[in-house]
Amino acid sequence: MKKILLILLVSIANFLFAGNDPYIKIKVAKDGSGDFSSIQKAINSVRDLGPAEAFIYIKSGTYNEKVVIPSSKHKITLEGENKDNTVITNNDFSGKKDAFNEKMTTFNSYTLLVMGDDIQISNLTIQNSSCNEGQAVALHVEGDRFIIKNSNILGCQDTVYCATNHSRQYFENCFIEGTTDFIFGQATAVFKNCILKSLADSYITAAATEKDRKYGFVFFGCKLIAKEGVTKVFLGRPWRPYAKTVFINTEMGSHIVPEGWNPWKGDKMFPDKEKTAYYAESGSKGNGGNTSKRTTWSHQLTKKDLKKYTLEKIFAGWNPHHEQ
């Protein structure tokens, strides 16, 4: 009887968890040993609005591609073989002429554009190799419930575009580098245990949080480092008036300026943004983590404030850890 009951329980468990398995697995390899030699072709092959996760495994190699995951492709996982050796790279930038002889903008300079919902990425390097030529986005995300882990996101100005008001994005154990505003946009985005490397004296973040959003960019347990010779970096400046950026338990190098934040003066359309932006810290440490000289319009979180900063609250009920 016990044996029958055990078999029954196992059968029920298999049935319940079967829906979590990818319905299709695709292999990408530069050498032709996979299903595709191009990441874009692999994505294109996935059924629009498929029934479950589509898993795309990418063998090590440098893929010179401009990749788009359209809104019709959801629940796709991209997993690289090795984060340092599996590289998607491109070199478009704002001002560069496209195939139609039109000048590109920041918003179509991306190397990887994610428009679909429920996209997960791990063990990849996403790079825009253009530097000091104009804004050049490596990763541009518009989809909801986006997760990226154990990956490198490399660029100079505007490396990561956390786009659109409705988008929720989660970055964990990622290395992100850039010069100016290299994490920017309207989305609600959490960065956990990430290393952020400043390549120039400039600004790390430029949030454009909408007025109706309680959270913008939140950093947990991150580490802020800089290229040698870089000595004057701000934690952020408000791209739009209601920008929200919070650093919690972050180690900050000596390149972070004592005042911490910049009001982005000189924006005639949006003057006095420091009156409406919300910039805060808790538990900052390291040579740049001394908050005694922070700008007067920034905040230090209280214990009561900290209770509001859980993943479920930030993401309005979505917990990216439950997606694994």
Side-chain angles (χ1 to χ4, degrees):
M1 185 66 188
K2 285 182 180 178
K3 193 174 180 181
I4 294 169
L5 188 61
L6 183 63
I7 292 168
L8 186 63
L9 286 170
V10 169
S11 299
I12 292 168
N14 287 338
F15 175 77
L16 288 173
F17 292 108
N20 293 333
D21 292 333
Y23 81 97
I24 187 171
K25 294 183 179 181
I26 300 166
K27 184 177 174 182
V28 179
K30 288 276 292 186
D31 62 8
S33 62
D35 301 299
F36 297 93
S37 58
S38 155
I39 296 167
Q40 187 65 64
K41 286 181 179 177
I43 290 165
N44 293 348
S45 76
V46 174
R47 183 166 182 168
D48 289 344
L49 304 179
E53 178 195 3
F55 182 82
I56 300 176
Y57 180 74
I58 306 167
K59 291 277 288 180
S60 290
T62 300
Y63 298 82
N64 292 282
E65 298 188 52
K66 189 178 180 79
V67 178
V68 178
I69 303 177
S71 57
S72 60
K73 310 286 186 184
H74 66 175
K75 300 178 183 175
I76 293 176
T77 293
L78 300 179
E79 183 179 299
E81 181 177 9
N82 177 293
K83 75 171 181 179
D84 296 317
N85 299 325
T86 312
V87 182
I88 310 171
T89 185
N90 194 50
N91 63 350
D92 287 344
F93 58 91
S94 179
K96 181 179 178 179
K97 295 286 184 72
D98 64 15
F100 301 99
N101 210 33
E102 297 284 338
K103 284 187 178 180
M104 291 185 182
T105 68
T106 305
F107 310 107
N108 58 10
S109 68
Y110 56 80
T111 296
L112 172 60
L113 169 61
V114 177
M115 300 176 75
D117 293 339
D118 300 300
I119 305 301
Q120 297 189 42
I121 294 173
S122 62
N123 302 333
L124 278 178
T125 289
I126 302 160
Q127 179 186 39
N128 192 322
S129 60
S130 171
C131 199
N132 299 323
E133 296 175 287
Q135 293 93 337
V137 175
L139 176 63
H140 176 155
V141 180
E142 297 187 359
D144 193 19
R145 297 181 299 274
F146 171 79
I147 297 172
I148 183 167
K149 293 185 174 184
N150 306 317
S151 294
N152 302 315
I153 313 170
L154 312 179
C156 284
Q157 185 170 354
D158 291 0
T159 306
V160 180
Y161 182 22
C162 299
T164 71
N165 187 33
H166 76 280
S167 180
R168 292 169 289 181
Q169 306 175 16
Y170 181 71
F171 298 71
E172 186 177 293
N173 295 328
C174 289
F175 177 89
I176 305 169
E177 70 174 21
T179 55
T180 299
D181 305 335
F182 62 93
I183 299 172
F184 73 109
Q186 298 163 284
T188 299
V190 168
F191 300 80
K192 185 178 180 183
N193 300 337
C194 292
I195 296 173
L196 313 179
K197 184 176 183 179
S198 292
L199 302 179
D201 289 341
S202 201
Y203 315 89
I204 296 172
T205 66
T209 321
E210 296 282 352
K211 187 177 182 179
D212 65 337
R213 296 293 168 186
K214 292 180 181 179
Y215 304 93
F217 299 160
V218 183
F219 297 84
F220 290 105
C222 291
K223 186 175 182 180
L224 311 184
I225 63 174
K227 181 181 173 182
E228 190 176 349
V230 173
T231 60
K232 190 178 180 183
V233 173
F234 292 86
L235 297 172
R237 60 176 180 169
W239 184 19
R240 291 294 181 265
Y242 293 92
K244 295 180 179 69
T245 302
V246 175
F247 286 88
I248 296 171
N249 297 330
T250 294
E251 185 180 333
M252 303 181 180
S254 57
H255 61 295
I256 300 301
V257 296
E259 61 266 41
W261 309 92
N262 182 283
W264 201 326
K265 288 292 188 184
D267 187 338
K268 292 178 182 178
M269 191 175 286
F270 302 107
D272 305 320
K273 287 182 277 193
E274 71 274 18
K275 292 179 181 178
T276 47
Y278 183 82
Y279 285 150
E281 296 169 72
S282 174
S284 295
K285 51 200 175 213
N287 292 333
N290 183 345
T291 59
S292 64
K293 294 181 181 178
R294 289 293 194 252
T295 183
T296 56
W297 45 273
S298 67
H299 306 269
Q300 295 300 313
L301 298 179
T302 64
K303 285 185 178 180
K304 186 178 179 182
D305 293 331
L306 277 171
K307 290 179 181 178
K308 300 173 186 173
Y309 287 88
T310 65
L311 289 179
E312 288 90 346
K313 286 178 181 176
I314 295 166
F315 287 138
W318 174 57
N319 189 328
H321 294 317
H322 296 162
E323 301 297 313
Q324 308 309 304

